[in-house]
Amino acid sequence: MSQELRDELGNYHIGGKKYKSITTILKEEMPHMALDAWKERTPNWPSVGRKAAIYGTFMHMKIQELVTGVHPEVPKDFKLDEWYDMEMALELDARVEQWLNLGLNIGTPNTTEHTVVIERHDEDGVVMAAGTLDYFGPVDGMMVLGDWKSSKRPQESHRIQLGAYYIGMLAEGKEAEEGQIWYIRKNNADIIELEKDELQEEGEKFLELGKRSYARMVS
């Protein structure tokens, strides 16, 4: 559903308004020193990055199917020969096993792939942003805002992204008790937990980045 709301540049179009994506704002406004260094030492980084993106997307899809029982559709921009092979299947099976090994009690009702909108107009600036969160629902008896990541290591932008989703859900009258970032890799898995005040703090950081992005866009 979220893909149907987006144009070729990744902007969301909702209710006759255009919203810049939360992930685009984070990519534009945060330092990329580690990414730039990785590109310098990885000559074939476009193909490596594409493969990582496909693995990450299908990991999301497989885990979401486990959580909701609904089989998601393959994104239209993924060609069959890019993802339909034994290497991919083995990789995804390993990551799903790591997810299950965390032993989390995922309850119902829950929501996955939910699009939130952040729209703020005040004297300090304007934010027009939207994004699609991974999970909102019960985990071990608490209402949790969750995000699945396939990164090798945690990044500051991941915390801010989750904070942005928290702000977006608050606008809908839904408040998480905790945030969790689930790092699911082939050989291990980690969880980073954020309390409500931390989610709020990270959300405020995103609002500042969003204002800066919007001001540059309209200048």
Side-chain angles (χ1 to χ4, degrees):
M1 175 61 182
S2 66
Q3 296 302 316
E4 297 174 7
L5 302 173
R6 306 183 71 175
D7 61 25
E8 66 279 1
L9 298 177
N11 299 304
Y12 286 77
H13 295 264
I14 303 170
K17 298 179 182 180
K18 183 172 76 172
Y19 299 89
K20 203 168 190 177
S21 84
I22 288 170
T23 52
T24 297
I25 290 172
L26 291 173
K27 288 176 182 177
E28 291 178 352
E29 300 300 327
M30 297 193 70
H32 303 292
M33 290 179 289
L35 177 61
D36 292 341
W38 173 76
K39 287 182 178 180
E40 282 192 21
R41 64 176 183 268
T42 312
N44 62 331
W45 67 263
S47 60
V48 174
R50 174 69 174 177
K51 186 175 183 179
I54 293 172
Y55 276 20
T57 298
F58 276 85
M59 181 193 78
H60 277 70
M61 292 170 61
K62 288 200 68 132
I63 295 176
Q64 285 166 0
E65 183 176 5
L66 284 174
V67 168
T68 65
V70 178
H71 182 66
E73 293 184 10
V74 176
K76 294 182 177 65
D77 61 334
F78 284 2
K79 298 177 181 178
L80 184 64
D81 60 0
E82 285 186 297
W83 60 270
Y84 192 73
D85 58 32
M86 184 58 67
E87 181 184 3
M88 168 71 79
L90 293 174
E91 174 84 19
L92 292 178
D93 285 346
R95 293 196 188 197
V96 169
E97 183 178 359
Q98 293 299 330
W99 162 252
L100 294 174
N101 285 343
L102 289 175
L104 299 174
N105 181 15
I106 305 294
T108 55
N110 57 53
T111 303
T112 64
E113 286 291 296
H114 176 69
T115 298
V116 297
V117 169
I118 300 174
E119 186 169 348
R120 296 286 184 93
H121 301 264
D122 55 43
E123 62 275 8
D124 295 325
V126 175
V127 183
M128 298 278 288
T132 303
L133 59 83
D134 285 347
Y135 178 88
F136 181 82
V139 178
D140 294 335
M142 289 193 307
M143 288 302 292
V144 167
L145 181 60
D147 201 11
W148 289 291
K149 296 292 185 186
S150 55
S151 311
K152 290 183 178 179
R153 58 185 60 86
Q155 300 173 25
E156 182 184 1
S157 62
H158 298 163
R159 296 172 63 94
I160 297 177
Q161 182 181 3
L162 200 63
Y165 295 152
Y166 177 75
I167 294 292
M169 289 300 279
L170 282 179
E172 298 182 17
K174 300 174 183 177
E175 184 175 14
E177 296 176 78
E178 183 175 282
Q180 295 186 6
I181 306 174
W182 302 305
Y183 290 94
I184 313 298
R185 310 175 189 94
K186 182 178 181 179
N187 299 312
N188 58 67
D190 298 311
I191 303 176
I192 289 183
E193 299 175 343
L194 289 82
E195 296 181 358
K196 273 199 297 188
D197 59 343
E198 293 178 291
L199 286 170
Q200 182 68 45
E201 182 180 345
E202 299 298 338
E204 295 295 332
K205 290 180 184 177
F206 175 78
L207 292 177
E208 291 306 311
L209 295 174
K211 290 173 184 176
R212 195 163 70 195
S213 173
Y214 188 84
R216 185 165 55 253
M217 184 174 66
V218 299
S219 61

